[in-house]
Amino acid sequence: MTEIPGVQVAHVKGGTTALYSYGVKHVTSQEPVHDQTVFQAASLTKVVAAYIFFRLLDRGLISLDTPLYSYYPYDRLQQNPNRNKITARMVLTHRTGLLNWEGDVPSEAWRATPLTSQFTPGKDYMYSGEGFYFLQEVMEQVTGKSFRTLVEEEVLRPFGMGNSAILWQDGLDTAAAYGHLANGNARQMGRYKKSNAAYTLYTTAADYARFIRKFLFEGFGLKESTWQLAMERAGEAKKGKEVSPEDAYVPCALGMRMQINEVGTAYWHTGSNPGFRCYFLAYPKDQEILVAFTNSDRGFATMPAILALFLNTKQTFWAYAWRNGELD
């Protein structure tokens, strides 16, 4: 792990959260990472988006299985013959048939790029950030609120995530870690000015662990039936074009992955933005959570060691072993 500039970890067990911070925010400045250092959560943002969906589901503003296009005629799908087939359930289980990204996200040209289907929605699995962005725009439409406002009102304030933001804020200049290339060189600071439900959350391991604990372990802010829905097995994942026997150990919940192994069922997600790699793994039965953020393209190399350091090693960590830390 010496090749990773900085690491921030939150470990929740027995009702206690322990925080660990190592390394530096930037290899040149050598300013140390501390517990309030803000990292890019990357695709861990998708779990926040899923929670907001559940909140809107509870209010009757949106449904799991109503075509999303009926709520909002997304311009990028106007010429797509499958536009009326994509549902929130498909988005949350990555079965929309949409590519991860189609175009140079987050440019204006990307936002104007028509979306194509790789298969009939619902018929197969393919990880898609585009699906989550479509869901974001639908949630904005049915509420009349920006995604930033939804995140702040539904998640950041009620969960007490005081060191988190869905968009770049001026105060983050001194708080945020820089991402780093695999060769160890620092990247430019990533300042996202437009929210994206797939990847723009800035947060700390402590804040994110609090969110996961209250959402997954307590069902905070949700009807009991909706909380149970969020925890159910909702779809299957595939690590390649063909079905693998190992896929059975990592099915999809709505907006998350599940890990089924020798000690039971856990929930997890990984995240990868340029210069950042992160992940969480949560065990409801044991009330245990591990959240880890790194500021390096090589960050997933830390995953086996950190999992083994904090968690019961008499289990198969399919969250890593399924794809050996490869990106979706």
Side-chain angles (χ1 to χ4, degrees), residues 293-308:
F293 292 128
T294 73
N295 59 343
S296 171
D297 286 339
R298 290 178 48 82
F300 282 151
T302 71
M303 199 169 175
I306 292 179
L307 294 175

Side-chain angles (χ1 to χ4, degrees), residues 264-283:
T265 299
Y267 296 81
W268 64 281
H269 211 294
T270 57
S272 56
N273 276 7
F276 293 89
R277 299 291 185 269
C278 54
Y279 47 92
F280 85 86
L281 189 58
Y283 298 79

